[in-house]
Amino acid sequence: MLQRILAMVLALSLLVGSSAIVVAQNADATPPAEEEGDDASGAGSSTLDPVIGDPVTFVGENGEDVAVFTVEDAVVPFEDFGEFFDPEADATYIAVQLTVENVDPDDDPFELSTFDIGLQDNQGFYYFPGFVSLNDDSEFEELEDEDLAPGDTTTGYLFYAIPEDNEPVRLFYSPIGRLLQLADLRDV
């Protein structure tokens, strides 16, 4: 009996491991076309690969719309650093402007954590927002963590550093147990 359980665990781990390799290798592959009205994400998005400017709806556990995310702009490479900021050598910096609106019908606040918004590169690696120093008069205002009241909207930039030979592919919102694609960044 124990041997059978161990064989099943080994087979499952091989299956999961090989699936992860395929996902990482296909990070920049073009997904199949989506039928109109099809919700392939399971999270309320109206398109499989939203692009910059497309609003993407985040649906709560109760099945109702909770927030709308819109990637407004992406700057690649971002180079408008503050005078005392020393960028990492061999890195490309990316600035992504994001608008988040609380549309919760139950009048609950939406807890925005910028750490839940990650960038995937063409090698399948996933990056969390980092810190960059900006000049006081910079037009790039950083998006900050906050609780958005119903009807409130916030807009700001998130900053990512990826290896200089890699390219940004997608931006995701990934709170615990969820993954929602916010924008395809391959054409930036």
Side-chain angles (χ1 to χ4, degrees):
M1 179 70 167
L2 181 58
Q3 289 176 336
R4 178 183 257 172
I5 291 173
L6 288 174
M8 288 173 48
V9 168
L10 179 61
L12 182 60
S13 65
L14 288 173
L15 177 65
V16 170
S18 63
S19 296
I21 291 169
V22 169
V23 168
Q25 288 175 342
N26 290 324
D28 60 348
T30 303
E34 178 179 315
E35 297 294 323
E36 187 173 331
D38 186 16
D39 184 3
S41 72
S45 172
S46 60
T47 61
L48 184 60
D49 262 339
V51 295
I52 293 175
D54 287 346
V56 178
T57 303
F58 179 69
V59 176
E61 292 177 7
N62 63 1
E64 299 207 13
D65 296 354
V66 175
V68 175
F69 292 81
T70 307
V71 175
E72 306 286 352
D73 189 22
V75 178
V76 182
F78 175 77
E79 297 173 336
D80 191 20
F81 306 111
E83 62 182 297
F84 299 110
F85 184 72
D86 186 22
E88 293 178 33
D90 303 328
T92 297
Y93 283 80
I94 299 153
V96 178
Q97 185 182 35
L98 183 65
T99 296
V100 183
E101 178 185 8
N102 180 343
V103 295
D104 191 315
D106 296 330
D107 291 333
D108 291 329
F110 180 73
E111 296 178 29
L112 174 63
S113 171
T114 57
F115 190 72
D116 291 337
I117 303 166
L119 183 140
Q120 178 191 32
D121 72 11
N122 62 328
Q123 300 299 315
F125 292 100
Y126 193 76
Y127 301 89
F128 296 100
F131 171 78
V132 299
S133 176
L134 303 169
N135 290 321
D136 291 337
D137 60 348
S138 176
E139 65 184 72
F140 295 91
E141 186 174 325
E142 186 173 9
L143 185 66
E144 296 182 6
D145 294 352
E146 64 179 290
D147 289 344
L148 291 172
D152 280 0
T153 300
T154 187
T155 299
Y157 282 87
L158 296 170
F159 303 94
Y160 300 89
I162 66 173
E164 69 180 345
D165 294 333
N166 297 5
E167 297 176 9
V169 174
R170 294 180 184 91
L171 191 74
F172 290 99
Y173 175 58
S174 56
I176 294 175
R178 303 283 294 276
L179 184 64
L180 177 64
Q181 184 173 324
L182 300 180
D184 185 324
L185 301 175
R186 289 176 281 189
D187 291 332
V188 175

